[in-house]
Structure formats: C-alpha cells, structure tokens
Amino acid sequence: MAAQPTTRTREQPQGDEEASTELKLGEFQNVPTLTLSEARLLINAVLDHRKTSGREFQETEMLRSTQDYLDVFARFKQKENIEAVERLLSTQTHPFESFERSQLGTLCCETAEEAKTLVPSLANKIADQDLQDLLDEITKLRTFVD
C-alpha cells in the first residue's frame, strides 16, 4: 500500500502575479504600498484620532491581532525614523517600484545579496555596492529597543 502524502498539494496561483526578477503584480502593479512600520504608524494615528475625537468605533479581534503583529514585526517605531527610511528609499538614483521600497523598508536586509535574493527584481536595478550602502544607511536608523 502506497504511503499517504504528508502535505496537501500546493494551490496554483490565480492570475499572473509574480514578484521575481520582473515584477508582475497584475492589478496591483502601480498601487502604492507601505512598509509594516508605515502601516503601524497609520493605523495607530487613525485609532488615536478616533479616540480623541469621541467617535465611536469597535475594536475588533482582527484589529487587535493586526496591531499585535505590527508591534512585533515593524522594524522602525519612531515616526522620524520611518520618514527617514522612506526618504532614503524614494530619493535613490535608481528608481525603485513602490513594492520594492516597501520590501526593503520592511525586511531590513543586512547584505545586498540577501536583499536581491528576497526581492529578485532588484537584481539588475542597482549595483551591489550601492545597495549595500543604502542598506547600511537604513540599518543606522533602526533602534533595537521599544
């Protein structure tokens, strides 16, 4: 008797979205994206505004889970650092796609090789040394305490 598979079959992706050496993001191709740090900042600002304005809102389990996730995985906590990272990524001489900027700002890769492995579309856009210099600047903005 043949052994039963221990995993389920992988579902084939619908559409032609692909984040490889060539970005194929389908309907999301030109959609602005956020880093996890920017998303955390935005959600917290909206919630603070709602609380101070007296608007009634219901804090759902999904919202709490999202906030918990962002609190853990957002690499930058201070607004000044989040804005500085965005400026660094937006003012590069190499035009990054919004998706690439958000990935670099979220992943905080240590080496150019790591960044190009995790974000393959960077492979032919920027020289390794230029990317390493950018990553080093981003790392300087990180704080390792809450």
Side-chain angles (χ1 to χ4, degrees):
M1 180 183 231
Q4 294 293 321
T6 57
T7 61
R8 60 187 169 133
T9 57
R10 183 174 181 201
E11 187 177 314
Q12 291 298 321
Q14 301 296 318
D16 60 351
E17 291 91 8
E18 184 179 354
S20 63
T21 54
E22 183 182 335
L23 285 178
K24 297 177 188 175
L25 302 177
E27 66 184 286
F28 301 105
Q29 187 67 40
N30 296 313
V31 174
T33 58
L34 299 172
T35 65
L36 294 181
S37 299
E38 291 168 325
R40 178 181 177 271
L41 182 69
L42 181 65
I43 289 172
N44 288 339
V46 168
L47 293 176
D48 288 346
H49 177 72
R50 286 183 180 172
K51 288 175 186 174
T52 58
S53 69
R55 284 187 60 193
E56 191 175 314
F57 74 96
Q58 186 172 3
E59 193 170 316
T60 65
E61 180 62 34
M62 177 63 76
L63 176 59
R64 281 190 296 279
S65 294
T66 301
Q67 286 181 291
D68 290 345
Y69 178 88
L70 292 173
D71 286 341
V72 171
F73 293 106
R75 303 292 181 139
F76 304 95
K77 308 293 187 198
Q78 286 118 2
K79 182 178 180 181
E80 299 79 24
N81 291 356
I82 295 168
E83 291 170 347
V85 169
E86 179 57 26
R87 276 193 306 275
L88 274 172
L89 293 169
S90 296
T91 59
Q92 286 300 303
T93 56
H94 310 294
F96 295 129
E97 298 288 335
S98 179
F99 175 81
E100 295 163 334
R101 286 194 309 270
S102 64
Q103 292 300 300
L104 287 172
T106 293
L107 297 170
C108 294
C109 301
E110 291 184 18
T111 65
E113 179 184 5
E114 178 185 16
K116 287 183 176 185
T117 298
L118 295 174
V119 188
S121 59
L122 296 175
N124 297 319
K125 281 193 174 180
I126 184 170
D128 285 354
Q129 189 55 53
D130 292 340
L131 181 55
Q132 187 62 56
D133 292 343
L134 175 63
L135 296 174
D136 292 344
E137 289 299 314
I138 291 171
T139 299
K140 289 178 189 175
L141 295 168
R142 284 188 67 189
T143 54
F144 294 93
V145 293
D146 283 333

